[in-house]
Amino acid sequence: MSKTAKRQRLRQPVATRDALIAAAQRLMLQQGYAATTVDQMCAEAGLTKGSFFHHFVSKEAIGRAAVDAWGAMGTRLYAQAWSDPDADPLDQFDRMLDIMIGFTKREEPCICMVGMMAQELALTNAGMRDACADHLSVWTQSVVRLLIEAKRRRRIAADFSPARVGWLLNSIWQGSMLVAKVRRSPAMIVSNLELARTYVHSLFAATRTRKTAS
Amino acid sequence: MSKTAKRQRLRQPVATRDALIAAAQRLMLQQGYAATTVDQMCAEAGLTKGSFFHHFVSKEAIGRAAVDAWGAMGTRLYAQAWSDPDADPLDQFDRMLDIMIGFTKREEPCICMVGMMAQELALTNAGMRDACADHLSVWTQSVVRLLIEAKRRRRIAADFSPARVGWLLNSIWQGSMLVAKVRRSPAMIVSNLELARTYVHSLFAATRTRKTAS
Amino acid sequence: MSKTAKRQRLRQPVATRDALIAAAQRLMLQQGYAATTVDQMCAEAGLTKGSFFHHFVSKEAIGRAAVDAWGAMGTRLYAQAWSDPDADPLDQFDRMLDIMIGFTKREEPCICMVGMMAQELALTNAGMRDACADHLSVWTQSVVRLLIEAKRRRRIAADFSPARVGWLLNSIWQGSMLVAKVRRSPAMIVSNLELARTYVHSLFAATRTRKTAS
Amino acid sequence: MSKTAKRQRLRQPVATRDALIAAAQRLMLQQGYAATTVDQMCAEAGLTKGSFFHHFVSKEAIGRAAVDAWGAMGTRLYAQAWSDPDADPLDQFDRMLDIMIGFTKREEPCICMVGMMAQELALTNAGMRDACADHLSVWTQSVVRLLIEAKRRRRIAADFSPARVGWLLNSIWQGSMLVAKVRRSPAMIVSNLELARTYVHSLFAATRTRKTAS
DNA sequence: ACGTACGGGACCCCCCGTTAAT
DNA sequence: ATTAACGGGGGGTCCCGTACGT
């Protein structure tokens, strides 16, 4: 009894797996993929290496799982912005920016797992590269959809390509986190997001505040 | 004879050192810092590992030297844009964007050593982080100077902070390279840079043609 | 098959660990600490280097374990001399000297692991130094206890300090092994021990034969 | 001019050689032979490795030179004790012990280069072993000569072998330095030497103080 | 006499993954 | 599901020694 009890810590494979993924995210966000060792992840999750390879066939596998979990988390996070499909597209866009800004206020430095893995592994690990591309696309497509919808509903100041603007916004977001990390200036991320907000609004003829006021 | 056959290299320490740095840049741009081994760099430079540590005291040292060399290279590259101090600031800005666009047309994927090292090491290597921050600042400051000068010479559409815009542009540049890498879409970098160009121009009331008129 | 052929060892961690310690003792006694490599110890123990660090966190750790094992072995060896607490202290002392003399008759050169590590590492490795000091103290204290007891039971020729004499004896023992090693003269150790025996006896007024008379 | 001046630091090959030997002694006394690197010795002596191998063909060569220099130094030191060949042998012996005791009072820990190298290298380096044996013999023979002379001049309490006692004394001296190093107790060396003094005096019928008094 | 560039090698450490057992 | 023991195989570092200028 006591022996078997001691031996099997949880018997909750899902929880154990999630703990490993969380450990992978923490460590890889901090150190990158290559510098993070399986032993470190095991230590963080409180188990041993033999157990690790029961849940993940390789280090690469947990890396993939960690980015995928991160992508899903991001999708859930942003989903709050467009939970109301009838809301004004620009309002939804603003809510999304606010969510991003909120993300920068956390204690940990504002880093994106997808951006980390993309930068480090894109040229050497095609699977990881494509996974990162997919996660970035999901978010970008949401923005593009918003912009298309806004174009339909509003007058535009000058024509623009929603897809191009969507990718620009994603690039700004990723680049801001990167640059802010070395500068240790989370405030710069907010600054960049606000400039992006103004930019997007400027694409449309009437500013939103005026529109709602009118 | 057979012993003396395995002669030393060229007795050109500077060339050897430069070869090592070039190898470090090539490999680290491709694989990242941690995944790049000293053996790989030596093989690329045609040197033995025993000799490596005569030129660099550690792997970290060559990493630093490689980013610093990259930073200097970038500074030289951009310097062409503002070689003529009397030129119109916005023209200089456009030339700089053209240089960047030209950079994306090379055969190798468009990656920045500073951005790579920053992403991977900012949180674990303070020295590298600060070096990267310095290199980013140098370039940003050049842009900021241009914007300040442009503000003085031209009418502006709406007030803006040159510093904030400068960092936004740098974030766009870094983020574009990051995102383009996973998407394998160098065209997206050009798209983003063109949008940035339009954005900056839009900050000023008068078009550039007026300047020539004045 | 061919893969499973290279099976793991015996799955006897204790035996493996002991084999490693024995290998460490053999090699370090022969070559010293610094000149002994982890590879050599693994080869002697029939283990691979990769496995070594599962049992010992570092080379220093196995060095410590090896001296501690040596110290324990010595304590067991000497314990035979004072197994009978009622025996005459000088008889016990003589038995101890006989045990030492027996130690010099083995095939291997008569060397003490504690003395080896002490000489080489005392000034650069405080942990090892203190461990060696402890092992030396244990043995010295046993001798000191004997001398104190002998003083109580016998008349002394002239007053002496048991502690000082105890450390002198230990110094003779260690110094004899050292000098005998370079002279390749184990006989000298015996000679020194016999002189030490006579010296200790001379500290007491009555010969041992009187004791049996009393 | 200035170039050649800078290039050849001393043009005093003997001084440079001596500086290297002194560095070797300092470092090897501290760390042992194997742990001392050629680079360390060069740094201590203020020159570079290329120059080192001009003076010594190998690391082993400087090791030998260092022990030989140490042996010669010891011989000079002890020679003060028997500078007057007509003096009483036991007085010369006492002076020698006083010189040894003086040696323990220095700031550095009391260590003997010969004992260090002997302990570490006796079983792996026959040349070094024999060199150490020679240096130990030289000193022992001086003591033996003293004891033989004393036996001729004085009445002895009981017969003894000068050679055996000479080697015992040397063993005490070496063992005391070894044990004192780990115990960080230079006082123990003095204690041991004083006990040795008393022991040697006890070999002769009349104590010296009485003899001079009478 | 002395310095610099370099070669070859190996040392300690550790890393990813597997196997057998519980 | 979880663990400990273990295997290969580098990774970074450094070490001793040499060749070759000056």
Side-chain angles (χ1 to χ4, degrees):
Chain A
M1 268 304 185
S2 65
K3 278 168 67 182
T4 47
K6 241 181 67 179
R7 207 149 271 283
Q8 299 135 358
R9 20 171 276 132
L10 289 173
R11 280 295 186 206
Q12 296 176 349
V14 178
T16 301
R17 201 188 132 93
D18 288 349
L20 279 169
I21 288 179
Q25 289 179 338
R26 267 193 303 271
L27 289 163
M28 291 184 182
L29 279 174
Q30 192 76 16
Q31 311 167 336
Y33 175 83
T36 297
T37 74
V38 173
D39 278 312
Q40 285 175 342
M41 292 185 278
C42 291
E44 277 254 339
L47 38 113
T48 57
K49 202 157 38 175
S51 181
F52 175 91
F53 285 98
H54 177 75
H55 294 279
F56 298 97
V57 294
S58 67
K59 179 182 173 184
E60 190 190 337
I62 197 178
R64 284 290 303 276
V67 289
D68 289 343
W70 184 273
M73 184 266 283
T75 300
R76 277 197 305 278
L77 192 65
Y78 296 138
Q80 303 168 15
W82 36 77
S83 54
D84 178 6
D86 299 326
D88 180 89
L90 274 190
D91 281 337
Q92 295 185 39
F93 176 75
D94 281 341
R95 287 184 60 189
M96 191 193 62
L97 286 179
D98 292 337
I99 290 171
M100 290 171 159
I101 290 169
F103 190 75
T104 70
K105 312 286 192 191
R106 301 174 316 158
E107 298 186 9
E108 311 108 79
C110 175
I111 325 173
C112 173
M113 182 85 184
V114 176
M116 280 286 285
M117 296 300 100
Q119 185 78 303
E120 185 176 349
L121 301 174
L123 299 182
T124 53
N125 187 324
M128 185 70 86
R129 181 198 64 208
D130 293 340
C132 289
D134 285 348
H135 293 305
L136 293 178
S137 281
V138 167
W139 177 70
T140 302
Q141 288 317 313
S142 301
V143 177
V144 170
R145 235 179 291 123
L146 246 49
L147 293 173
I148 290 172
E149 182 67 15
K151 268 181 94 169
R152 203 164 54 198
R153 294 206 202 175
R154 293 170 170 277
R155 287 223 320 275
I156 55 177
D159 195 21
F160 65 92
S161 155
R164 287 181 62 198
V165 172
W167 282 112
L168 172 66
L169 290 169
N170 208 349
S171 299
I172 290 174
W173 177 224
Q174 288 292 337
S176 297
M177 289 188 283
L178 198 170
V179 173
K181 188 161 60 170
V182 283
R183 297 187 66 209
R184 288 184 290 180
S185 164
M188 193 205 69
I189 303 177
V190 178
S191 166
N192 286 347
L193 291 175
E194 292 298 351
L195 290 175
R197 187 200 305 267
T198 306
Y199 168 70
V200 169
H201 288 182
S202 77
L203 296 172
F204 296 93
T207 67
R208 195 162 41 101
T209 49
R210 285 193 183 176
K211 172 215 155 215
T212 50
S214 66
Chain B
M1 265 306 181
S2 63
K3 285 167 70 180
T4 38
K6 16 184 151 167
R7 265 283 59 70
Q8 269 108 324
R9 273 170 55 92
L10 300 150
R11 207 89 189 165
Q12 293 176 348
V14 178
T16 300
R17 202 187 132 95
D18 288 348
L20 281 170
I21 288 179
Q25 288 178 340
R26 267 194 303 271
L27 288 163
M28 291 183 182
L29 280 174
Q30 190 78 13
Q31 312 168 339
Y33 175 83
T36 298
T37 73
V38 174
D39 274 320
Q40 287 174 341
M41 293 185 277
C42 291
E44 279 251 340
L47 206 66
T48 62
K49 199 160 50 166
S51 316
F52 175 89
F53 289 93
H54 176 73
H55 297 278
F56 297 98
V57 295
S58 67
K59 180 184 174 183
E60 190 190 337
I62 197 177
R64 284 290 304 275
V67 291
D68 289 343
W70 185 273
M73 183 268 281
T75 301
R76 277 197 308 276
L77 192 65
Y78 295 138
Q80 303 167 15
W82 37 76
S83 53
D84 176 8
D86 298 325
D88 180 88
L90 272 190
D91 281 338
Q92 295 186 42
F93 177 75
D94 282 340
R95 288 184 60 188
M96 192 194 62
L97 285 179
D98 293 337
I99 289 171
M100 290 170 158
I101 289 169
F103 190 76
T104 69
K105 311 288 192 192
R106 300 175 317 160
E107 298 187 8
E108 311 108 81
C110 176
I111 325 173
C112 174
M113 182 84 183
V114 176
M116 278 287 284
M117 297 298 101
Q119 186 78 300
E120 185 175 352
L121 301 174
L123 266 39
T124 52
N125 186 326
M128 186 69 87
R129 182 198 64 209
D130 293 340
C132 290
D134 285 347
H135 293 306
L136 293 178
S137 281
V138 166
W139 178 70
T140 302
Q141 288 316 312
S142 301
V143 175
V144 170
R145 234 177 292 124
L146 246 51
L147 293 173
I148 290 173
E149 181 66 15
K151 271 181 90 168
R152 203 163 55 196
R153 296 207 200 172
R154 294 171 169 277
R155 290 224 318 274
I156 54 177
D159 198 19
F160 65 92
S161 156
R164 286 181 62 197
V165 172
W167 282 111
L168 172 65
L169 291 168
N170 209 348
S171 299
I172 290 174
W173 177 222
Q174 289 292 338
S176 298
M177 289 188 283
L178 198 171
V179 173
K181 188 161 59 169
V182 283
R183 298 187 64 211
R184 287 185 293 180
S185 163
M188 191 206 70
I189 304 177
V190 179
S191 167
N192 285 347
L193 291 175
E194 293 298 352
L195 291 175
R197 188 201 304 268
T198 306
Y199 168 70
V200 169
H201 288 181
S202 77
L203 297 172
F204 297 92
T207 66
R208 250 192 309 161
T209 50
R210 284 203 184 173
K211 167 224 153 206
T212 51
S214 70
Chain C
M1 265 305 182
S2 64
K3 282 169 71 179
T4 38
K6 19 182 151 168
R7 263 286 55 71
Q8 269 109 325
R9 273 172 53 92
L10 299 149
R11 206 84 186 172
Q12 292 176 348
V14 178
T16 300
R17 203 187 131 94
D18 289 348
L20 280 171
I21 289 179
Q25 288 178 339
R26 267 194 302 272
L27 289 163
M28 292 183 180
L29 280 174
Q30 190 77 14
Q31 311 169 338
Y33 175 83
T36 297
T37 72
V38 174
D39 273 319
Q40 287 174 341
M41 293 185 278
C42 290
E44 279 252 339
L47 205 67
T48 62
K49 199 161 46 169
S51 316
F52 175 89
F53 290 93
H54 176 73
H55 296 279
F56 296 98
V57 295
S58 67
K59 180 184 173 183
E60 190 190 338
I62 197 177
R64 283 291 304 275
V67 291
D68 289 343
W70 184 274
M73 184 265 284
T75 301
R76 278 197 307 277
L77 192 65
Y78 296 138
Q80 303 167 15
W82 36 77
S83 54
D84 176 7
D86 297 326
D88 180 86
L90 273 190
D91 282 337
Q92 294 186 40
F93 176 74
D94 282 340
R95 288 184 60 189
M96 190 193 64
L97 285 179
D98 292 336
I99 289 171
M100 289 171 159
I101 290 169
F103 191 75
T104 69
K105 312 285 192 193
R106 302 174 316 159
E107 298 185 10
E108 311 107 81
C110 174
I111 326 173
C112 174
M113 183 83 183
V114 177
M116 279 287 286
M117 297 299 100
Q119 186 77 302
E120 186 175 349
L121 301 173
L123 266 40
T124 52
N125 186 325
M128 187 69 86
R129 181 198 65 208
D130 293 340
C132 291
D134 285 347
H135 293 305
L136 293 178
S137 282
V138 166
W139 178 70
T140 302
Q141 288 316 313
S142 302
V143 176
V144 169
R145 238 179 289 122
L146 246 49
L147 293 173
I148 291 172
E149 182 66 15
K151 271 182 89 169
R152 204 165 53 196
R153 295 208 200 171
R154 294 169 169 277
R155 291 222 317 275
I156 54 177
D159 196 22
F160 68 91
S161 156
R164 286 181 62 198
V165 171
W167 282 112
L168 172 66
L169 290 168
N170 209 349
S171 298
I172 290 173
W173 177 225
Q174 288 292 337
S176 298
M177 289 187 283
L178 197 172
V179 173
K181 187 162 59 170
V182 282
R183 296 187 65 211
R184 287 184 292 179
S185 163
M188 193 206 70
I189 304 177
V190 179
S191 166
N192 285 347
L193 291 175
E194 292 298 352
L195 291 175
R197 187 200 304 267
T198 306
Y199 167 70
V200 168
H201 287 181
S202 77
L203 296 173
F204 297 91
T207 65
R208 250 191 310 158
T209 50
R210 284 203 183 173
K211 168 226 153 204
T212 51
S214 67
Chain D
M1 268 303 185
S2 63
K3 277 168 68 185
T4 49
K6 242 182 65 180
R7 207 146 270 284
Q8 298 136 0
R9 22 172 275 128
L10 289 174
R11 280 297 185 202
Q12 295 176 349
V14 178
T16 300
R17 203 187 131 92
D18 288 349
L20 280 170
I21 288 178
Q25 288 178 340
R26 268 193 302 271
L27 288 164
M28 291 183 181
L29 280 174
Q30 191 77 16
Q31 310 168 337
Y33 175 83
T36 297
T37 73
V38 173
D39 278 313
Q40 285 175 341
M41 293 184 276
C42 291
E44 276 255 338
L47 42 115
T48 58
K49 204 158 37 178
S51 180
F52 174 93
F53 285 98
H54 176 76
H55 292 280
F56 298 98
V57 294
S58 68
K59 180 184 172 182
E60 190 191 337
I62 197 177
R64 284 291 302 277
V67 289
D68 289 343
W70 185 274
M73 185 267 282
T75 300
R76 277 197 308 277
L77 192 65
Y78 296 139
Q80 303 167 16
W82 37 76
S83 55
D84 177 6
D86 298 325
D88 180 89
L90 274 190
D91 281 338
Q92 294 185 40
F93 176 74
D94 281 341
R95 288 184 60 190
M96 192 195 62
L97 286 179
D98 292 337
I99 289 170
M100 290 171 158
I101 290 169
F103 191 75
T104 70
K105 311 286 191 191
R106 302 173 317 158
E107 298 188 7
E108 311 109 79
C110 176
I111 325 174
C112 173
M113 182 85 183
V114 177
M116 280 285 285
M117 296 300 100
Q119 185 79 301
E120 185 176 350
L121 301 175
L123 299 181
T124 52
N125 186 325
M128 186 69 86
R129 181 198 65 207
D130 293 339
C132 290
D134 286 347
H135 293 304
L136 292 178
S137 282
V138 167
W139 177 70
T140 302
Q141 288 317 311
S142 301
V143 176
V144 170
R145 235 179 291 123
L146 246 47
L147 293 173
I148 290 172
E149 181 66 16
K151 269 181 94 168
R152 203 164 55 197
R153 293 207 202 174
R154 294 169 170 277
R155 290 223 319 275
I156 55 176
D159 195 22
F160 66 91
S161 156
R164 288 181 60 199
V165 172
W167 282 111
L168 172 65
L169 291 168
N170 208 349
S171 298
I172 290 174
W173 177 224
Q174 288 293 338
S176 298
M177 288 188 283
L178 197 169
V179 174
K181 188 160 62 170
V182 282
R183 298 187 62 211
R184 286 184 293 179
S185 163
M188 193 205 69
I189 304 177
V190 178
S191 167
N192 285 349
L193 291 175
E194 293 297 353
L195 291 175
R197 188 200 306 268
T198 305
Y199 167 70
V200 168
H201 287 181
S202 77
L203 296 174
F204 296 93
T207 66
R208 198 159 41 100
T209 50
R210 285 194 182 176
K211 171 213 153 215
T212 52
S214 67

